[in-house]
Amino acid sequence: MKKKSIAKLKKDVWYAFSLFIRRRDCLLTTGSPDYGECISCDKSLRIALLHAGHYIHNKSATYFNERNVNAQCARCNTYLHGNQVEYRHGLIDRYGEGVPEEIETEARQERVFTRPELEGLLEYYKKLIKGSE
């Protein structure tokens, strides 16, 4: 059997991670697995319409950081480019003072995911998703 490329593995991890984040935040914000609130604007949407949006974008070190990625509406995540000021307020409300700075510091680190790390993350998030069904 041919091994998946690192890029394909990362994409598969993202799919599972994104679903985990959106389910986590639906349960956290509304108590329902079907609806959740955007961390930036508090808009409530069905899980299928929520994005798993990054506070710090395009940084490998924080790509799968659970505090860096939270449910966002398409407007905030895409059209407002993350709605960073409000996202920052949401992080502080949800996780506490100093968390945005911790994420920003982590984002400055260099990070390359190995095949075993990605395979481990994929299994981990698959198990979490299965446990939340």
Side-chain angles (χ1 to χ4, degrees), residues 21-83:
I21 292 295
R22 291 179 290 124
R23 281 190 182 170
R24 175 200 70 187
D25 289 358
C26 284
L27 292 170
L28 177 70
T29 60
T30 68
S32 166
D34 302 317
Y35 290 86
E37 294 176 358
C38 174
I39 192 166
S40 301
C41 73
D42 297 328
K43 183 175 182 176
S44 183
L45 295 166
R46 288 191 337 261
I47 190 171
L49 297 177
L50 288 168
H51 293 192
H54 289 84
Y55 172 60
I56 301 291
H57 303 273
N58 300 322
K59 298 292 182 179
S60 289
T62 55
Y63 195 74
F64 296 118
N65 178 320
E66 292 179 16
R67 295 185 306 173
N68 184 51
V69 183
N70 294 273
Q72 276 193 303
C73 67
R75 178 179 172 271
C76 287
N77 189 38
T78 304
Y79 303 110
L80 297 178
H81 308 287
N83 196 359

Side-chain angles (χ1 to χ4, degrees), residues 28-29 37-42 67 70 85-101:
L28 177 70
T29 60
E37 294 176 358
C38 174
I39 192 166
S40 301
C41 73
D42 297 328
R67 295 185 306 173
N70 294 273
V85 171
E86 295 305 320
Y87 199 132
R88 184 181 190 82
H89 293 303
L91 287 173
I92 293 167
D93 289 346
R94 187 170 292 176
Y95 302 112
E97 290 286 337
V99 169
E101 293 83 2

